[in-house]
Amino acid sequence: MMKQSACRQMTEPSFWAGVLVILCTLSMGADVHQALKTPSMPSRVLQRHKRDWKWDKLYVNEEMPPKNPPEKIGKLENTFFDASARYILSGEGADSIFTVNDNGDIVVNMKLDREKKSVYNLTASLIDFKTKKQLDKKDTFIIVVMDINDNSPVFPPDISGSINESSNEGSIVMTVKATDADDPTTQNGMIGYKLLNGTDLFNINNKGEIRTMTSSLDREKQSQYLIAIQAKDMPDVSNTGNSATTIVTININDVNDNIATFKTGKYHFNVKEDSKPGHKIGILGVEDKDEIQNKDPSFTIQDKFDGMFGIKLNNEKDGILSLKVPLNYEMEKMHYFTVNVLEHTVSKSPDNQGPNLQTRAQVFITVIDVDEPPVFSQTEYKFSIYEGPFKTPIIGAVSAKDPDKNGYKIRYSIEDSNSPVAVDTVQGYLSLKKELDREDKSSHTFQVTAQEDVPNGLKSYALVNLKVLDINDNKPELTNRSNVYVCERDEPGTIIGTVGAYDKDENSGRFSFNLKKGTLNFSLYDNGDNTASIKLKQGGFSTEHSVEHVLEIEITDGGTPEQKSIHQLQIKVCTCQADRQVEYCMSYARTGVSVSALLAILLCIVTILVIVILIVLRKRYQKEVLVTKSSGEIHEQLVRYDEEGGGEMDTNGYDVSILSSACHDSSFRPGTGPSLYAVVKKPSTCKGDMAMMIEVKKDEADHDRDGIPYDTLHIYGYEGSESLAGSLSSLDSSSSGSNLDYDFLYEWGPRFRTLAQLYGVDGSDSDSSD
């Protein structure tokens, strides 16, 4: 009965309902047949039937608004279902989107969107609502959301493509891809494409591939196309479905399909004759309809002139005409030649044909005359000469001339003062100023200047390389001195060392060696390879009882003329290990002083002499300063005396002539600078009167604001006891005549008793006088 009920409920006028009706009928027939075959049994026998869930998939349409009561989309069935059993749903959307009632009917409560979620996975279980026990094992099923055509195709933004011009017909330009959110397995999600314009040049298929329909696309005529494309779903159903439109940009790429041509048939340029090679003469402008990256012209110059002129491309792919060799106005004032332009293209454009294409041009070069500097016959001169004394100082000559019409005379000079070569100013002969030494410098390089013999004449320069050739003028030198020594254990015949020779000359030939003086202990053997071996004649050498051994070796080189030299070789006696490894060698001191030691000694002597001279000069300078002091400082001479003096009658202790002659001596007259004393009026005449001079000095002291404000011994302490004027010093003045009372000094203690007795009134003295 449950199956019949379910079948009755599912018999709805739909495809899936018909399928369910067939399945229900077959199931019911199988149950009837089984019932006929099986006899009547108690209910417990029926409970042993095989349990089974009856479903596969459930389906629901999207975008269906909720209904009241909710729409039933299926039914749960289980063989263990009875009056106390209840169905429970769990999983995606359970108890919210989908619910089940007590009879197992599944209903949908919300509007669904397949584009958000197309399948819901659910789990069904059967429990006893009284005991809450599970009556059968859980099982899963799915609910499929059926698609409807509720979405339109969507294009991506800014769609663009490109293709080379002159491409073959049927070439793919680009592929357009639109998307539809509907089910792509149905007509709702399938998309078809259609061009709304440009159908004479392009077409499009349902894959979105845009292809060319012609091979005559020309960028120079039109470089871009804007094509409208329509995308429509349900392409196999006409007059229905959703669509969208977009604009696609198709760019035509440039290729080198146009040749370059000259802008004009004639080019005129002016070039100064003193222009250097590489000078840019001018630009040969060319036209090319292609873009700059596809502009690739090449130029050819008429024969005979391609060695004088060259053409290179600039950044704009125009030709730059340049100079390869200097031009000469005096030889040719005008040059004209033909230039051709050629360009290889990848395809043939109709524009590349026609009689008006300018691929050849005439170039006219006018040479401008300028005042040119002298031109040397060579840009670089090379000479050679032997070192040493020379028979003739002439080593060669340089030559230059003025290429202009005037043809000025040329004067030669060498500006480098260190150059060992002089040049004749008129003829250009080069001669040596001094002997050359190849060992000092093997070559000399200098510049010779050629200048027009007119005021401010133009100059030019030529380089001269002088090679110094070698002569055999150096004596051979002995080498490997330090490797010759005698070991105490050496036996007669032992080679105690090998010496060599060296010569500064270039080709010194073979050196020969021999002993200048014979010796009993050693012999020398010439090896024939510029070395000589020294052999021991007899042994018995000892570092403790050994004398100095010196060999005189004569060396002869094989040059012309032959050079000889004699060298002294000191042979050391050493204590050695095996294989003549040196441990200790006996050294011999040589008498004499080296040059460096002599220089150091001389430097010390000169330094001491300079110091002594400076001290003497300083002493002399100090004495001259004391003698030349001004008259305002004469009193400083008197302060050097330690007694007052004997007065006017004492002519031995003081030189009073200085005071009396101060008026007559111009060196004692006051200067313009500041003085120790104030300037006062002096007597108009000087008779040598001492009294008058004293009065003048007193007057100066009275008016001197910067002077010491009390009596000092060095100013007034020279009158003496024989002077009728008496002493002006306060040192000899009696304390009794003073208005000051110095008796308080007695109260200061024993230390001031002597001072109190000199200035105070002694009480004992006064008592005794009484």
Side-chain angles (χ1 to χ4, degrees), residues 103 106 125 137 154 237 248 251 258 291 336 348 398 442 469 525 565 588 616 623 655 712:
N103 297 324
I106 299 175
S125 60
K137 185 179 179 180
V154 177
V237 181
V248 174
N251 296 308
N258 292 278
E291 292 180 346
Y336 58 92
K348 294 182 179 180
V398 295
S442 60
L469 302 178
Y525 176 75
S565 62
Y588 301 95
V616 172
K623 290 181 180 181
D655 186 8
T712 58

PDB file of all heavy atoms in Angstrom, residues 103 106 125 137 154 237 248 251 258 291 336 348 398 442 469 525 565 588 616 623 655 712:
ATOM      1  N   ASN A 103       4.866  11.481   6.880  1.00  0.00           N
ATOM      2  CA  ASN A 103       4.637  10.456   5.861  1.00  0.00           C
ATOM      3  C   ASN A 103       5.850  10.248   4.940  1.00  0.00           C
ATOM      4  O   ASN A 103       5.780   9.446   4.018  1.00  0.00           O
ATOM      5  CB  ASN A 103       3.419  10.813   5.013  1.00  0.00           C
ATOM      6  CG  ASN A 103       2.147  10.837   5.846  1.00  0.00           C
ATOM      7  OD1 ASN A 103       1.983  10.021   6.767  1.00  0.00           O
ATOM      8  ND2 ASN A 103       1.265  11.784   5.539  1.00  0.00           N
ATOM      9  N   ILE A 106       8.964  14.945   0.999  1.00  0.00           N
ATOM     10  CA  ILE A 106      10.023  15.976   1.023  1.00  0.00           C
ATOM     11  C   ILE A 106       9.511  17.181   0.272  1.00  0.00           C
ATOM     12  O   ILE A 106       9.065  17.074  -0.880  1.00  0.00           O
ATOM     13  CB  ILE A 106      11.314  15.461   0.382  1.00  0.00           C
ATOM     14  CG1 ILE A 106      11.832  14.237   1.150  1.00  0.00           C
ATOM     15  CG2 ILE A 106      12.394  16.540   0.367  1.00  0.00           C
ATOM     16  CD1 ILE A 106      13.038  13.597   0.507  1.00  0.00           C
ATOM     17  N   SER A 125      17.361   9.074   7.676  1.00  0.00           N
ATOM     18  CA  SER A 125      17.376   8.033   8.717  1.00  0.00           C
ATOM     19  C   SER A 125      15.951   7.798   9.200  1.00  0.00           C
ATOM     20  O   SER A 125      15.090   8.690   9.134  1.00  0.00           O
ATOM     21  CB  SER A 125      18.286   8.436   9.874  1.00  0.00           C
ATOM     22  OG  SER A 125      17.838   9.642  10.449  1.00  0.00           O
ATOM     23  N   LYS A 137      19.576   1.536   8.969  1.00  0.00           N
ATOM     24  CA  LYS A 137      20.831   2.241   8.734  1.00  0.00           C
ATOM     25  C   LYS A 137      20.607   3.487   7.872  1.00  0.00           C
ATOM     26  O   LYS A 137      19.776   3.481   6.967  1.00  0.00           O
ATOM     27  CB  LYS A 137      21.823   1.310   8.032  1.00  0.00           C
ATOM     28  CG  LYS A 137      23.196   1.896   7.846  1.00  0.00           C
ATOM     29  CD  LYS A 137      24.120   0.891   7.173  1.00  0.00           C
ATOM     30  CE  LYS A 137      25.505   1.490   6.970  1.00  0.00           C
ATOM     31  NZ  LYS A 137      26.401   0.507   6.311  1.00  0.00           N
ATOM     32  N   VAL A 154      28.361  36.595 -21.067  1.00  0.00           N
ATOM     33  CA  VAL A 154      29.164  37.728 -20.586  1.00  0.00           C
ATOM     34  C   VAL A 154      30.519  37.708 -21.298  1.00  0.00           C
ATOM     35  O   VAL A 154      31.200  36.684 -21.322  1.00  0.00           O
ATOM     36  CB  VAL A 154      29.363  37.665 -19.054  1.00  0.00           C
ATOM     37  CG1 VAL A 154      30.258  38.823 -18.592  1.00  0.00           C
ATOM     38  CG2 VAL A 154      28.021  37.698 -18.343  1.00  0.00           C
ATOM     39  N   VAL A 237      18.336  27.148 -31.188  1.00  0.00           N
ATOM     40  CA  VAL A 237      16.920  27.523 -31.125  1.00  0.00           C
ATOM     41  C   VAL A 237      16.810  28.976 -31.550  1.00  0.00           C
ATOM     42  O   VAL A 237      17.420  29.856 -30.936  1.00  0.00           O
ATOM     43  CB  VAL A 237      16.360  27.330 -29.704  1.00  0.00           C
ATOM     44  CG1 VAL A 237      14.877  27.708 -29.678  1.00  0.00           C
ATOM     45  CG2 VAL A 237      16.553  25.891 -29.261  1.00  0.00           C
ATOM     46  N   VAL A 248      35.023  44.581 -30.419  1.00  0.00           N
ATOM     47  CA  VAL A 248      36.366  44.019 -30.461  1.00  0.00           C
ATOM     48  C   VAL A 248      37.243  44.904 -31.350  1.00  0.00           C
ATOM     49  O   VAL A 248      36.820  45.286 -32.450  1.00  0.00           O
ATOM     50  CB  VAL A 248      36.349  42.577 -30.992  1.00  0.00           C
ATOM     51  CG1 VAL A 248      37.775  42.052 -31.167  1.00  0.00           C
ATOM     52  CG2 VAL A 248      35.573  41.680 -30.058  1.00  0.00           C
ATOM     53  N   ASN A 251      43.731  45.316 -34.593  1.00  0.00           N
ATOM     54  CA  ASN A 251      44.801  46.158 -35.096  1.00  0.00           C
ATOM     55  C   ASN A 251      45.530  45.445 -36.225  1.00  0.00           C
ATOM     56  O   ASN A 251      45.833  44.253 -36.124  1.00  0.00           O
ATOM     57  CB  ASN A 251      45.795  46.494 -33.978  1.00  0.00           C
ATOM     58  CG  ASN A 251      45.155  47.306 -32.869  1.00  0.00           C
ATOM     59  OD1 ASN A 251      44.531  48.326 -33.106  1.00  0.00           O
ATOM     60  ND2 ASN A 251      45.309  46.838 -31.635  1.00  0.00           N
ATOM     61  N   ASN A 258      56.634  48.218 -48.201  1.00  0.00           N
ATOM     62  CA  ASN A 258      56.781  49.423 -49.014  1.00  0.00           C
ATOM     63  C   ASN A 258      58.258  49.782 -49.095  1.00  0.00           C
ATOM     64  O   ASN A 258      58.973  49.753 -48.088  1.00  0.00           O
ATOM     65  CB  ASN A 258      56.012  50.600 -48.403  1.00  0.00           C
ATOM     66  CG  ASN A 258      54.510  50.400 -48.461  1.00  0.00           C
ATOM     67  OD1 ASN A 258      53.858  50.649 -49.474  1.00  0.00           O
ATOM     68  ND2 ASN A 258      53.945  49.919 -47.353  1.00  0.00           N
ATOM     69  N   GLU A 291      56.192  51.612 -40.906  1.00  0.00           N
ATOM     70  CA  GLU A 291      56.618  52.169 -39.630  1.00  0.00           C
ATOM     71  C   GLU A 291      58.142  52.124 -39.530  1.00  0.00           C
ATOM     72  O   GLU A 291      58.815  51.421 -40.281  1.00  0.00           O
ATOM     73  CB  GLU A 291      55.985  51.385 -38.473  1.00  0.00           C
ATOM     74  CG  GLU A 291      54.474  51.576 -38.383  1.00  0.00           C
ATOM     75  CD  GLU A 291      53.856  50.805 -37.232  1.00  0.00           C
ATOM     76  OE1 GLU A 291      54.550  49.922 -36.671  1.00  0.00           O
ATOM     77  OE2 GLU A 291      52.696  51.073 -36.890  1.00  0.00           O
ATOM     78  N   TYR A 336      80.253  65.701 -57.937  1.00  0.00           N
ATOM     79  CA  TYR A 336      78.850  65.296 -58.093  1.00  0.00           C
ATOM     80  C   TYR A 336      78.814  63.828 -58.503  1.00  0.00           C
ATOM     81  O   TYR A 336      79.621  63.366 -59.279  1.00  0.00           O
ATOM     82  CB  TYR A 336      78.110  66.177 -59.098  1.00  0.00           C
ATOM     83  CG  TYR A 336      78.698  66.214 -60.491  1.00  0.00           C
ATOM     84  CD1 TYR A 336      78.259  65.314 -61.482  1.00  0.00           C
ATOM     85  CD2 TYR A 336      79.667  67.146 -60.821  1.00  0.00           C
ATOM     86  CE1 TYR A 336      78.801  65.344 -62.749  1.00  0.00           C
ATOM     87  CE2 TYR A 336      80.212  67.173 -62.095  1.00  0.00           C
ATOM     88  CZ  TYR A 336      79.777  66.267 -63.053  1.00  0.00           C
ATOM     89  OH  TYR A 336      80.306  66.292 -64.310  1.00  0.00           O
ATOM     90  N   LYS A 348      54.921  42.216 -51.850  1.00  0.00           N
ATOM     91  CA  LYS A 348      54.812  43.216 -52.897  1.00  0.00           C
ATOM     92  C   LYS A 348      53.516  43.982 -52.742  1.00  0.00           C
ATOM     93  O   LYS A 348      52.428  43.418 -52.784  1.00  0.00           O
ATOM     94  CB  LYS A 348      54.861  42.551 -54.277  1.00  0.00           C
ATOM     95  CG  LYS A 348      56.208  41.893 -54.588  1.00  0.00           C
ATOM     96  CD  LYS A 348      56.215  41.309 -55.981  1.00  0.00           C
ATOM     97  CE  LYS A 348      57.568  40.668 -56.284  1.00  0.00           C
ATOM     98  NZ  LYS A 348      57.592  40.083 -57.655  1.00  0.00           N
ATOM     99  N   VAL A 398     112.734  66.569 -41.949  1.00  0.00           N
ATOM    100  CA  VAL A 398     111.285  66.572 -42.139  1.00  0.00           C
ATOM    101  C   VAL A 398     110.959  67.636 -43.168  1.00  0.00           C
ATOM    102  O   VAL A 398     111.731  68.582 -43.387  1.00  0.00           O
ATOM    103  CB  VAL A 398     110.547  66.851 -40.816  1.00  0.00           C
ATOM    104  CG1 VAL A 398     110.784  65.731 -39.825  1.00  0.00           C
ATOM    105  CG2 VAL A 398     110.959  68.188 -40.213  1.00  0.00           C
ATOM    106  N   SER A 442     116.199  53.906 -24.925  1.00  0.00           N
ATOM    107  CA  SER A 442     116.403  53.260 -26.221  1.00  0.00           C
ATOM    108  C   SER A 442     115.666  53.947 -27.357  1.00  0.00           C
ATOM    109  O   SER A 442     115.944  53.649 -28.524  1.00  0.00           O
ATOM    110  CB  SER A 442     115.965  51.794 -26.152  1.00  0.00           C
ATOM    111  OG  SER A 442     114.582  51.714 -25.810  1.00  0.00           O
ATOM    112  N   LEU A 469     120.420  53.007 -31.654  1.00  0.00           N
ATOM    113  CA  LEU A 469     121.024  51.705 -31.928  1.00  0.00           C
ATOM    114  C   LEU A 469     122.164  51.438 -30.950  1.00  0.00           C
ATOM    115  O   LEU A 469     122.832  52.368 -30.469  1.00  0.00           O
ATOM    116  CB  LEU A 469     121.545  51.657 -33.365  1.00  0.00           C
ATOM    117  CG  LEU A 469     120.497  51.926 -34.455  1.00  0.00           C
ATOM    118  CD1 LEU A 469     121.146  51.903 -35.829  1.00  0.00           C
ATOM    119  CD2 LEU A 469     119.349  50.930 -34.371  1.00  0.00           C
ATOM    120  N   TYR A 525     136.900  27.084 -14.546  1.00  0.00           N
ATOM    121  CA  TYR A 525     136.639  26.358 -15.789  1.00  0.00           C
ATOM    122  C   TYR A 525     135.494  27.059 -16.521  1.00  0.00           C
ATOM    123  O   TYR A 525     134.394  27.214 -15.989  1.00  0.00           O
ATOM    124  CB  TYR A 525     136.272  24.901 -15.496  1.00  0.00           C
ATOM    125  CG  TYR A 525     135.905  24.120 -16.732  1.00  0.00           C
ATOM    126  CD1 TYR A 525     136.889  23.691 -17.632  1.00  0.00           C
ATOM    127  CD2 TYR A 525     134.577  23.816 -17.009  1.00  0.00           C
ATOM    128  CE1 TYR A 525     136.557  22.989 -18.761  1.00  0.00           C
ATOM    129  CE2 TYR A 525     134.228  23.109 -18.135  1.00  0.00           C
ATOM    130  CZ  TYR A 525     135.213  22.695 -19.026  1.00  0.00           C
ATOM    131  OH  TYR A 525     134.875  21.992 -20.162  1.00  0.00           O
ATOM    132  N   SER A 565     136.536  43.182 -18.272  1.00  0.00           N
ATOM    133  CA  SER A 565     136.411  43.704 -16.912  1.00  0.00           C
ATOM    134  C   SER A 565     136.989  42.681 -15.951  1.00  0.00           C
ATOM    135  O   SER A 565     136.979  41.469 -16.228  1.00  0.00           O
ATOM    136  CB  SER A 565     134.951  43.991 -16.571  1.00  0.00           C
ATOM    137  OG  SER A 565     134.187  42.796 -16.610  1.00  0.00           O
ATOM    138  N   TYR A 588     134.549  38.289   6.695  1.00  0.00           N
ATOM    139  CA  TYR A 588     135.753  39.101   6.832  1.00  0.00           C
ATOM    140  C   TYR A 588     135.358  40.555   6.694  1.00  0.00           C
ATOM    141  O   TYR A 588     134.686  40.958   5.740  1.00  0.00           O
ATOM    142  CB  TYR A 588     136.771  38.730   5.754  1.00  0.00           C
ATOM    143  CG  TYR A 588     137.173  37.273   5.814  1.00  0.00           C
ATOM    144  CD1 TYR A 588     136.532  36.324   5.023  1.00  0.00           C
ATOM    145  CD2 TYR A 588     138.189  36.863   6.676  1.00  0.00           C
ATOM    146  CE1 TYR A 588     136.896  34.999   5.089  1.00  0.00           C
ATOM    147  CE2 TYR A 588     138.555  35.531   6.738  1.00  0.00           C
ATOM    148  CZ  TYR A 588     137.910  34.601   5.943  1.00  0.00           C
ATOM    149  OH  TYR A 588     138.264  33.287   5.997  1.00  0.00           O
ATOM    150  N   VAL A 616     126.309  82.714  17.786  1.00  0.00           N
ATOM    151  CA  VAL A 616     127.170  83.898  17.750  1.00  0.00           C
ATOM    152  C   VAL A 616     126.412  85.111  17.225  1.00  0.00           C
ATOM    153  O   VAL A 616     126.506  86.224  17.763  1.00  0.00           O
ATOM    154  CB  VAL A 616     128.413  83.595  16.894  1.00  0.00           C
ATOM    155  CG1 VAL A 616     129.226  84.870  16.667  1.00  0.00           C
ATOM    156  CG2 VAL A 616     129.265  82.527  17.541  1.00  0.00           C
ATOM    157  N   LYS A 623     123.962  92.581  21.797  1.00  0.00           N
ATOM    158  CA  LYS A 623     124.853  93.679  22.167  1.00  0.00           C
ATOM    159  C   LYS A 623     124.531  94.926  21.372  1.00  0.00           C
ATOM    160  O   LYS A 623     124.514  96.040  21.893  1.00  0.00           O
ATOM    161  CB  LYS A 623     126.311  93.268  21.932  1.00  0.00           C
ATOM    162  CG  LYS A 623     126.812  92.211  22.911  1.00  0.00           C
ATOM    163  CD  LYS A 623     128.265  91.857  22.644  1.00  0.00           C
ATOM    164  CE  LYS A 623     128.764  90.801  23.623  1.00  0.00           C
ATOM    165  NZ  LYS A 623     130.194  90.462  23.378  1.00  0.00           N
ATOM    166  N   ASP A 655     129.952 107.132  33.365  1.00  0.00           N
ATOM    167  CA  ASP A 655     130.327 107.803  32.119  1.00  0.00           C
ATOM    168  C   ASP A 655     129.339 108.926  31.889  1.00  0.00           C
ATOM    169  O   ASP A 655     128.299 108.762  31.253  1.00  0.00           O
ATOM    170  CB  ASP A 655     130.292 106.804  30.952  1.00  0.00           C
ATOM    171  CG  ASP A 655     130.806 107.428  29.662  1.00  0.00           C
ATOM    172  OD1 ASP A 655     131.306 108.553  29.720  1.00  0.00           O
ATOM    173  OD2 ASP A 655     130.695 106.755  28.608  1.00  0.00           O
ATOM    174  N   THR A 712     112.976 106.517  42.975  1.00  0.00           N
ATOM    175  CA  THR A 712     113.673 105.260  42.765  1.00  0.00           C
ATOM    176  C   THR A 712     115.157 105.507  42.679  1.00  0.00           C
ATOM    177  O   THR A 712     115.607 106.585  42.254  1.00  0.00           O
ATOM    178  CB  THR A 712     113.210 104.584  41.472  1.00  0.00           C
ATOM    179  OG1 THR A 712     113.445 105.474  40.393  1.00  0.00           O
ATOM    180  CG2 THR A 712     111.745 104.237  41.530  1.00  0.00           C
TER     181      THR A 712
END
